[in-house]
Coordinates of all heavy atoms in Angstrom, one line a residue:
K424 N 287.2 143.5 129.0 CA 287.5 143.4 130.4 C 286.4 142.9 131.2 O 286.5 142.2 132.2 CB 287.9 144.8 130.8 CG 288.4 144.9 132.3 CD 288.9 146.3 132.7 CE 289.5 146.3 134.1 NZ 290.0 147.7 134.4
F425 N 285.1 143.3 130.8 CA 284.0 143.0 131.7 C 283.0 141.9 131.2 O 282.3 141.5 132.0 CB 283.3 144.4 132.0 CG 284.0 145.4 132.6 CD1 284.4 146.6 131.9 CD2 284.4 145.3 134.0 CE1 285.1 147.6 132.5 CE2 285.2 146.3 134.6 CZ 285.6 147.4 133.8
I426 N 283.1 141.6 130.0 CA 282.0 140.7 129.4 C 282.6 139.3 129.1 O 282.1 138.3 129.5 CB 281.4 141.3 128.2 CG1 280.7 142.6 128.5 CG2 280.4 140.3 127.5 CD1 280.1 143.3 127.4
Y427 N 283.7 139.3 128.4 CA 284.2 137.9 127.9 C 285.2 137.4 128.9 O 286.3 138.1 129.2 CB 284.9 138.1 126.5 CG 283.8 138.6 125.4 CD1 283.7 139.9 125.1 CD2 282.9 137.6 124.9 CE1 282.8 140.3 124.1 CE2 282.0 138.0 124.0 CZ 281.9 139.3 123.6 OH 281.0 139.7 122.7
R428 N 285.0 136.2 129.4 CA 285.9 135.7 130.3 C 287.4 135.4 129.9 O 288.3 135.7 130.5 CB 285.3 134.3 130.8 CG 286.1 133.6 131.9 CD 285.6 132.2 132.2 NE 284.1 132.3 132.6 CZ 283.4 131.3 132.8 NH1 283.8 130.1 132.6 NH2 282.1 131.4 133.2
D429 N 287.4 134.9 128.6 CA 288.7 134.6 128.0 C 289.2 135.8 127.2 O 290.3 135.7 126.5 CB 288.6 133.4 127.1 CG 288.2 132.2 127.9 OD1 288.6 132.1 129.0 OD2 287.4 131.3 127.3
G430 N 288.6 136.9 127.2 CA 289.0 138.0 126.4 C 288.2 138.1 125.0 O 287.9 137.0 124.6
L431 N 288.0 139.3 124.5 CA 287.3 139.4 123.3 C 287.9 138.8 122.1 O 287.3 138.0 121.4 CB 287.1 140.9 123.0 CG 286.3 141.3 121.7 CD1 285.0 140.7 121.7 CD2 286.3 142.8 121.5
Q432 N 289.3 139.0 121.9 CA 289.9 138.4 120.8 C 289.9 137.0 120.8 O 289.7 136.3 119.8 CB 291.4 139.0 120.7 CG 292.1 138.6 119.4 CD 293.4 139.2 119.3 OE1 293.8 140.0 120.1 NE2 294.2 139.0 118.2
A433 N 290.2 136.3 122.0 CA 290.2 134.9 122.0 C 288.8 134.3 121.8 O 288.7 133.3 121.1 CB 290.7 134.4 123.4
T434 N 287.8 135.0 122.2 CA 286.4 134.5 122.0 C 286.0 134.6 120.5 O 285.4 133.7 120.0 CB 285.4 135.3 122.8 OG1 285.7 135.3 124.2 CG2 283.9 134.8 122.7
V435 N 286.3 135.6 119.9 CA 286.1 135.8 118.5 C 286.8 134.8 117.6 O 286.2 134.1 116.8 CB 286.5 137.3 118.0 CG1 286.4 137.3 116.5 CG2 285.6 138.3 118.6
Q436 N 288.1 134.5 117.9 CA 288.8 133.5 117.2 C 288.2 132.1 117.4 O 288.2 131.3 116.5 CB 290.3 133.6 117.7 CG 291.1 134.8 117.2 CD 292.5 134.8 117.7 OE1 292.9 134.0 118.6 NE2 293.3 135.7 117.2
R437 N 287.7 131.9 118.6 CA 287.2 130.6 119.0 C 285.9 130.3 118.2 O 285.6 129.2 117.7 CB 286.9 130.4 120.5 CG 286.4 129.1 120.9 CD 286.0 129.1 122.4 NE 284.9 130.0 122.6 CZ 284.7 130.8 123.6 NH1 285.7 130.9 124.5 NH2 283.6 131.6 123.8
D438 N 285.1 131.4 118.1 CA 283.7 131.3 117.5 C 283.7 131.5 115.9 O 282.7 131.2 115.3 CB 282.8 132.2 118.1 CG 282.5 131.9 119.6 OD1 282.8 130.8 120.0 OD2 282.1 132.8 120.4
S439 N 284.8 131.9 115.5 CA 284.8 132.3 114.0 C 285.0 131.0 113.2 O 285.5 130.0 113.7 CB 286.0 133.2 113.7 OG 285.9 134.4 114.3
I440 N 284.6 131.1 111.9 CA 284.7 129.9 111.0 C 286.2 129.7 110.8 O 287.0 130.7 110.5 CB 284.0 130.1 109.7 CG1 282.5 130.2 109.9 CG2 284.3 129.2 108.7 CD1 281.7 130.6 108.7
K441 N 286.7 128.5 110.8 CA 288.1 128.2 110.6 C 288.4 128.3 109.1 O 287.7 127.7 108.3 CB 288.4 126.8 111.1 CG 288.2 126.6 112.5 CD 288.9 127.6 113.4 CE 288.5 127.3 114.9 NZ 289.1 128.4 115.8
H442 N 289.5 129.0 108.8 CA 289.9 129.2 107.4 C 290.7 127.9 106.9 O 291.5 127.5 107.6 CB 290.7 130.5 107.2 CG 290.0 131.7 107.6 ND1 289.0 132.3 106.7 CD2 290.0 132.5 108.7 CE1 288.5 133.4 107.3 NE2 289.1 133.5 108.5
P443 N 290.4 127.5 105.7 CA 291.1 126.3 105.2 C 292.6 126.6 104.9 O 292.9 127.8 104.5 CB 290.3 125.9 103.9 CG 289.7 127.2 103.5 CD 289.4 128.0 104.7
E444 N 293.4 125.6 104.9 CA 294.7 125.8 104.5 C 295.0 125.1 103.2 O 294.7 123.9 103.0 CB 295.7 125.1 105.6 CG 297.2 125.3 105.2 CD 298.1 124.7 106.4 OE1 297.6 124.6 107.5 OE2 299.2 124.3 106.1
V445 N 295.3 125.9 102.1 CA 295.4 125.5 100.8 C 296.8 125.8 100.3 O 297.2 126.9 100.3 CB 294.3 126.1 99.9 CG1 294.4 125.6 98.5 CG2 292.9 126.0 100.4
D446 N 297.4 124.7 99.7 CA 298.8 124.9 99.2 C 298.7 125.9 97.9 O 297.8 125.8 97.2 CB 299.4 123.6 98.8 CG 300.9 123.7 98.4 OD1 301.7 123.8 99.2 OD2 301.1 123.8 97.2
R447 N 299.7 126.7 97.8 CA 299.7 127.6 96.7 C 299.6 127.0 95.4 O 299.0 127.6 94.4 CB 300.9 128.5 96.8 CG 301.0 129.7 95.7 CD 302.2 130.6 95.8 NE 302.2 131.4 97.0 CZ 303.0 132.3 97.3 NH1 304.0 132.6 96.4 NH2 302.9 133.0 98.4
S448 N 300.1 125.8 95.2 CA 300.1 125.1 93.9 C 298.6 124.7 93.5 O 298.3 124.4 92.4 CB 300.9 123.9 94.0 OG 300.5 122.9 95.0
Q449 N 297.7 124.6 94.6 CA 296.3 124.3 94.3 C 295.4 125.5 94.2 O 294.1 125.3 93.9 CB 295.8 123.4 95.5 CG 296.6 122.1 95.7 CD 296.2 121.3 96.9 OE1 295.7 121.8 97.8 NE2 296.3 120.0 96.7
W450 N 295.9 126.7 94.2 CA 295.0 127.9 94.1 C 294.5 127.9 92.7 O 295.2 127.7 91.7 CB 295.8 129.1 94.3 CG 296.3 129.4 95.7 CD1 296.0 128.6 96.8 CD2 297.0 130.5 96.2 NE1 296.5 129.1 98.0 CE2 297.1 130.2 97.7 CE3 297.5 131.6 95.7 CZ2 297.8 131.1 98.5 CZ3 298.3 132.5 96.5 CH2 298.4 132.2 97.9
L451 N 293.2 128.3 92.6 CA 292.5 128.5 91.3 C 293.0 129.8 90.7 O 293.2 130.8 91.5 CB 291.0 128.4 91.4 CG 290.4 127.1 91.7 CD1 288.9 127.2 91.9 CD2 290.7 126.1 90.6
P452 N 293.0 130.0 89.4 CA 293.3 131.3 88.9 C 292.2 132.3 89.3 O 291.1 131.9 89.5 CB 293.3 131.1 87.4 CG 293.5 129.6 87.2 CD 292.9 128.9 88.4
P453 N 292.6 133.6 89.4 CA 291.6 134.6 89.9 C 290.3 134.6 89.0 O 289.2 134.7 89.6 CB 292.3 135.9 89.7 CG 293.7 135.5 89.9 CD 293.9 134.2 89.3
T454 N 290.4 134.5 87.7 CA 289.2 134.5 86.9 C 288.3 133.3 87.2 O 287.1 133.4 87.0 CB 289.6 134.6 85.4 OG1 290.4 133.5 85.0 CG2 290.1 135.9 85.0

């Protein structure tokens, strides 16, 4: 309410590292 102009959640999402989009067929096996 008082610190972030665009709101806390919007600021965090803007400043966070973007997660890559990977098709399931390209996923590596867990091991």
Side-chain angles (χ1 to χ4, degrees):
K424 187 173 183 179
F425 298 111
I426 297 178
Y427 298 99
R428 180 184 304 172
D429 301 323
L431 177 60
Q432 186 173 0
T434 304
V435 170
Q436 290 177 348
R437 184 188 66 218
D438 296 341
S439 297
I440 295 176
K441 302 303 179 184
H442 298 284
E444 184 175 332
V445 184
D446 187 82
R447 185 178 290 188
S448 62
Q449 298 177 331
W450 289 1
L451 291 177
T454 54

